[in-house]
Amino acid sequence: ITVNVNSTIDASITGPVLACLSSPTSTYSVNSVTGATYVWTVIGGTITSGQGTNAILVTWSTVGSKSISVTIDNLVCPIAKGNLSVNVNTPPDKTITGPTSICLNTPTATYSVPNSSGSVYTWNITGGIINSGQGTTSVNVTWTSSGAKSISVDIDNKACAIETGVLNVNVNTPPNVNDQIVKACAVTEKTFDGHPEGGTLPYLSHNWKIVVGSIVYSTNKNLLTVNPTSVSGVTRFRYTVTDSNNCSDSSLVDVQIY
């Protein structure tokens, strides 16, 4: 009499324990056992092919903590059962939010994406620098050159394909004004010019304000006429011009009365 002694059946399931809801299929398998039958069960997904064999293809249909199991019977050894827990994720949201039109002289700007638990974030920028937040859902940036620029982020949640989000940003050149000193006679009205340059025309507003005090002179032009009898000595004005992109610059104008 010849007796065939079979080894214990190994029911360990191999396959991805992190899966993506958008992936067409995932493969799960056990070691092949001669003459064995296999019965697979999937919670949270559908077996698309392979039922009754040692390898199946699965399409996951819901997100969260799911499971896959198999029963193996070779009619000799005790029936073996294997189980595998699978975490099914959705692709991360790659939508970047933040200003898409900004002035070059804006100190900083914040850009962010929705949080995706366990994901790794890699940010890239053209025409600026990332001050802080690299590796997180939100970064603080400073734009360093004007024109059509962009910021992007690669999001890897270890389950789905890496998602890349891109946001185009128009960085506007602001107007420019320089500090100046104006001399005026004590008995004659003096009109002086803020001398704005650059930016995007037309200019939306010109504001003059005495630095010490609360008088604001709002005009629709860059010229301001001062009656010397209303000021004395050296009077400092702050001149602010705003262009059609709502970018602005300001300067100090010292009026010296003689």
Side-chain angles (χ1 to χ4, degrees):
I1 299 173
T2 301
V3 178
N4 293 322
V5 180
N6 291 29
S7 60
T8 303
I9 299 174
D10 183 2
S12 300
I13 301 172
T14 59
V17 294
L18 290 175
C20 186
L21 187 64
S22 64
S23 298
T25 58
S26 299
T27 301
Y28 296 89
S29 64
V30 292
N31 290 333
S32 178
V33 177
T34 302
T37 58
Y38 306 83
V39 178
W40 294 87
T41 302
V42 173
I43 296 177
T46 301
I47 299 173
T48 58
S49 65
Q51 179 66 280
T53 71
N54 70 307
I56 58 172
L57 292 179
V58 174
T59 297
W60 296 105
S61 54
T62 58
V63 299
S65 180
K66 308 303 174 182
S67 67
I68 186 167
S69 62
V70 64
T71 299
I72 308 172
D73 185 3
N74 69 350
L75 303 178
V76 177
C77 298
I79 294 175
K81 295 182 179 181
N83 292 280
L84 184 69
S85 296
V86 179
N87 189 29
V88 182
N89 295 321
T90 55
D93 187 343
K94 61 185 179 181
T95 305
I96 301 174
T97 57
T100 56
S101 181
I102 194 169
C103 303
L104 182 60
N105 59 352
T106 302
T108 60
T110 299
Y111 295 88
S112 62
V113 290
N115 182 59
S116 175
S117 180
S119 294
V120 176
Y121 303 85
T122 303
W123 292 86
N124 295 285
I125 189 172
T126 60
I129 57 174
I130 298 174
N131 301 312
S132 62
Q134 181 65 277
T136 72
T137 59
S138 179
V139 290
N140 179 278
V141 310
T142 297
W143 296 104
T144 56
S145 60
S146 60
K149 309 300 176 182
S150 67
I151 185 168
S152 64
V153 62
D154 294 331
I155 310 173
D156 185 2
N157 69 356
K158 307 301 182 182
C160 303
I162 294 175
E163 295 283 344
T164 300
V166 179
L167 184 68
N168 294 318
V169 179
N170 189 35
V171 183
N172 302 303
T173 301
N176 179 65
V177 289
N178 297 310
D179 294 348
Q180 57 177 308
I181 297 175
V182 178
K183 296 181 180 180
C185 178
V187 294
T188 306
E189 285 188 339
K190 178 67 176 182
T191 298
F192 48 93
D193 192 338
H195 295 293
E197 299 176 343
T200 302
L201 299 178
Y203 297 130
L204 298 181
S205 66
H206 304 267
N207 288 314
W208 299 86
K209 180 178 180 180
I210 296 178
V211 174
V212 179
S214 59
I215 300 176
V216 177
Y217 301 83
S218 295
T219 72
N220 61 358
K221 55 187 178 180
N222 52 293
L223 302 175
L224 181 68
T225 299
V226 174
N227 185 342
T229 60
S230 65
V231 295
S232 61
V234 177
T235 301
R236 172 164 288 183
F237 290 85
R238 180 173 295 279
Y239 168 61
T240 302
V241 59
T242 302
D243 71 5
S244 58
N245 283 323
N246 284 312
C247 296
S248 62
D249 192 25
S250 63
S251 65
L252 295 175
V253 179
D254 287 342
V255 179
Q256 298 179 349
I257 306 299
Y258 292 92

